[in-house]
Amino acid sequence: MGHGTNRVEDMSSPNNGTALAATAATTAGETIVEIHSVCLPPKKTVFQKLRKRVADVFFPDDPLGKFKNQTWRNRAILGLQSLFPIFTWGSQYDLKLFWSDVVSGLTIASLAIPQGISYAKLANLPPIVGLYSSFVPPLIYSVLGSSRHLAVGPVSIASLVMGSMLSESVSPTQESILYLKLAFTSTFFAGLFQASLGLLRLGFVIDFLSKATLVGFTAGAAVIVSLQQLKGLLGIVHFTGKMQFIPVMSSVFNHRSEWSWETIVMGIGFLSILLTTRHISMRKPKLFWISAASPLASVIISTLLVFLIRSKTHAISYIGHLPKGLNPPSSNMLYFSGTHLALAIKTGIITGILSLTEGIAVGRTFASLKNYQVNGNKEMMAIGFMNMAGSCTSCYVTTGSFSRSAVNYNAGAKTAVSNIVMASAVLVTLLFLMPLFYYTPNVILAAIILTAVIGLIDYQAAYKLWKVDKFDFFTCMCSFFGVLFVSVPLGLAIAVGVSVMKILLNVTRPNTIEFGNIRGTEIYQSLGRYREASRIPGFLILAIESPIYFANSTYLQERILRWTREEETRVKENNGSTLKCIILDMTAVSSIDTSGLEAVFELRRRLEKQSLQLVLVNPVGSVMEKLHKSKIVESLGLSGLYLTVGEAVADLSSTWKAHGQP
């Protein structure tokens, strides 16, 4: 035989799913190129495919896996532990763990009591509702929740959003009963939404709130919350109910006559103390108790101070009467019909998403520090059920608080019993200590809120977004300025809209990259990324970095044809070898639909008219199956499908040489 080329294909079973690396050998002057076939995936029924797809989407954690090969008794125990995580660690609970939980529970109670009162006022609710919300929800979470360190109660962002959304339509002062009904109803719908996400395993819905969105939103909300506290810090009586930057600042300066120097002095003094103790605890985490105890200590000292000087000045406003006793039932106040029902549902869903995102993020943060896992779906159900129960016991929307959870963690909490201890301390307060808060000044509540929300402005995260991803930074800024100048819910909606637009851009306008060969190897990589990569004469090698869907199939087809025209122009200008073949590396094409298949077929037809060959490389199993069923594989021919780019180039080049083509 003269010098020629033999094509040897690996004709192993298409179901074995294996392929060896391409090899080349020289025997008696004859080059043998070994080519491996692209295998079809194992055959499966429609039901098997559907079951696998559903399992991948809704059950990535395989929750039923632990029930396999178990006795009925063990399955019952595992089922009980799945529904009530308290049974997982309850059997191993001892006095040592209890002591750690008592210390941490009492520590977070000292923070939860003043914060509960403060955040209720932030939501335009009676201060007592904040304490009610720090009693029932923590008890329910301690039974249902999977986090050992999450401290449950009212939080600033959810309080602000609820207050701003409801007060736009209903006055919290002139229509106080209706406002209270809507707050409880919103809490019910927030819990219903949260629990539904967990039960239906639809947690990916909250993933639309990207990191960039949350950084901008929380920073904007923190600024708005801080500006709202100027009412309390300056002693202003008549203040705007709006939440935008310009109306708030206008209200501050238009009511200069109401500023009270006594209130300002007291506010600046206690704010300085709170910020100093917070700074000390941040610099030295072992001194966490200083920051945790300072809000309650400030409340006690400021209350005594106002009590002593009450006859000398009336400029400093205070809380007044707070009713004693346990949470009164509020199921009869839930508002399921009427003109404001849509407002309650909308407020509930938005606050539900925000509180759920915060709670799960905080829980996972501290779980990672202690090397245990927090189940996202269980957390959704736990937070949802506690809000539904809370709406029937005079509570408004609650979740895991970052500041209280950090204190709980640093105080040495071991289990969710710390929430029970905290709730017990709140119970004692509700039953016996409420009269002591009569002279608590509103300015101290404003100072406590300011201290808590300042930490939400994460400028370092925003700077990192700017360095890493400019589009994410743009999303962050849209969220920040939207909250600051438009409104809290609309600012969030704008940011989510920008995030969705980013997803659509990535889906509809995916990357296509030109590959070249790294000299001396069988590796093909991006020409723009690797300087040592070089083009192969006669070939245009492109990689598609996206699924091929109806949304991007036309774009990809036009983009590939443009690559072809540009390559032909480049060849003519440089007097290079004529372009003969377009190779599409489909390694990153995870799926393809019928529109994508039509686009591939049409692309092959149009290239064929230009005397160009289309070759597909390494389609994944599901894509290969669809290519086979749609007869595209047949239309490509024997030399239209390869396992690697290297094999495609080697085989086609040797074939051209065998036929005397340059």
Side-chain angles (χ1 to χ4, degrees), residues 24-62:
T26 304
T27 305
E30 186 173 308
T31 303
I32 300 175
V33 179
E34 187 174 357
I35 305 300
H36 301 87
S37 62
V38 180
C39 301
L40 284 167
K43 289 185 178 180
K44 292 182 180 179
T45 64
V46 174
F47 175 74
Q48 287 174 323
K49 293 178 183 178
L50 181 62
R51 184 175 64 179
K52 184 180 184 304
R53 185 60 179 161
V54 170
D56 289 343
V57 172
F58 297 103
F59 304 98
D61 53 344
D62 190 19

Side-chain angles (χ1 to χ4, degrees), residues 591-630:
S591 61
I592 190 169
D593 66 359
T594 52
S595 297
L597 293 170
E598 288 292 328
V600 172
F601 187 83
E602 177 64 18
L603 179 63
R604 185 200 66 80
R605 189 186 64 80
R606 292 179 67 173
L607 290 174
E608 197 174 60
K609 285 185 176 181
Q610 301 176 41
S611 300
L612 295 172
Q613 182 179 358
L614 176 65
V615 171
L616 306 182
V617 168
N618 195 28
V620 299
S622 60
V623 174
M624 179 60 188
E625 188 176 20
K626 291 182 179 180
L627 290 171
H628 177 73
K629 289 182 177 180
S630 63

Side-chain angles (χ1 to χ4, degrees), residues 198-518:
L199 287 169
L200 300 175
R201 306 183 71 83
L202 297 173
F204 58 83
V205 171
I206 65 175
D207 292 338
F208 281 98
L209 287 178
S210 65
K211 172 72 173 177
T213 300
L214 289 174
V215 168
F217 176 79
T218 40
V223 172
I224 290 294
V225 170
S226 302
L227 294 176
Q228 280 285 327
Q229 302 322 302
L230 292 175
K231 173 186 177 182
L233 286 174
L234 300 175
I236 299 173
V237 178
H238 302 91
F239 200 73
T240 180
K242 296 181 179 179
M243 295 289 177
Q244 295 84 13
F245 178 82
I246 295 175
V248 169
M249 294 307 297
S250 297
S251 183
V252 168
F253 290 104
N254 289 337
H255 296 91
R256 289 192 299 273
S257 59
E258 297 182 7
W259 292 12
S260 164
W261 70 266
E262 297 98 327
T263 303
I264 294 172
V265 170
M266 179 178 283
I268 292 175
F270 280 103
L271 183 60
S272 301
I273 293 171
L274 290 168
L275 291 174
T276 302
T277 56
R278 179 180 179 273
H279 180 71
I280 292 172
S281 296
M282 288 178 64
R283 293 291 298 271
K284 297 182 178 181
K286 290 184 178 179
L287 299 177
F288 68 90
W289 55 270
I290 295 178
S291 178
S294 58
L296 186 59
S298 299
V299 167
I300 294 171
I301 295 171
S302 63
T303 302
L304 286 172
L305 189 60
V306 171
F307 176 77
L308 294 174
I309 65 173
R310 69 188 187 283
S311 59
K312 298 180 180 179
T313 178
H314 299 284
I316 302 176
S317 63
Y318 45 84
I319 292 176
H321 174 70
L322 293 177
K324 289 198 299 182
L326 293 177
N327 299 34
S330 58
S331 55
N332 61 325
M333 298 183 72
L334 297 181
Y335 189 96
F336 293 126
S337 62
T339 55
H340 297 294
L341 178 60
L343 173 64
I345 294 174
K346 182 173 70 171
T347 304
I349 291 175
I350 292 178
T351 55
I353 291 174
L354 290 172
S355 58
L356 194 61
T357 303
E358 180 175 355
I360 292 178
V362 172
R364 285 176 174 168
T365 298
F366 292 105
S368 65
L369 295 176
K370 285 294 184 179
N371 198 28
Y372 69 92
Q373 190 172 2
V374 168
N375 187 301
N377 289 297
K378 287 181 182 177
E379 289 297 285
M380 292 177 201
M381 288 188 283
I383 295 173
F385 286 135
M386 80 180 186
N387 277 318
M388 291 172 70
S391 68
C392 299
T393 52
S394 300
C395 305
Y396 77 107
V397 67
T398 54
T399 188
S401 162
F402 186 83
S403 59
R404 290 193 291 276
S405 298
V407 170
N408 197 30
Y409 174 84
N410 289 320
K414 303 298 181 184
T415 69
V417 170
S418 59
N419 275 297
I420 298 176
V421 175
M422 180 192 72
S424 301
V426 174
L427 173 63
V428 172
T429 303
L430 286 169
L431 292 176
F432 305 108
L433 304 180
M434 297 316 297
L436 300 179
F437 290 97
Y438 187 91
Y439 288 105
T440 299
N442 288 312
V443 65
I444 197 64
L445 302 180
I448 290 170
I449 292 175
L450 262 172
T451 307
V453 301
I454 281 176
L456 298 176
I457 304 174
D458 194 349
Y459 62 91
Q460 291 180 334
Y463 178 67
K464 187 176 180 180
L465 290 173
W466 168 258
K467 288 182 64 177
V468 175
D469 191 320
K470 299 297 189 291
F471 198 101
D472 273 353
F473 179 78
F474 176 70
T475 302
C476 176
M477 291 297 101
C478 285
S479 182
F480 178 75
F481 289 111
V483 169
L484 213 57
F485 293 102
V486 184
S487 72
V488 174
L490 282 178
L492 182 63
I494 290 170
V496 171
V498 173
S499 297
V500 171
M501 185 177 70
K502 178 183 178 182
I503 295 172
L504 292 175
L505 281 174
N506 288 334
V507 170
T508 59
R509 296 295 183 266
N511 279 338
T512 51
I513 300 173
E514 186 177 5
F515 274 11
N517 177 246
I518 296 179

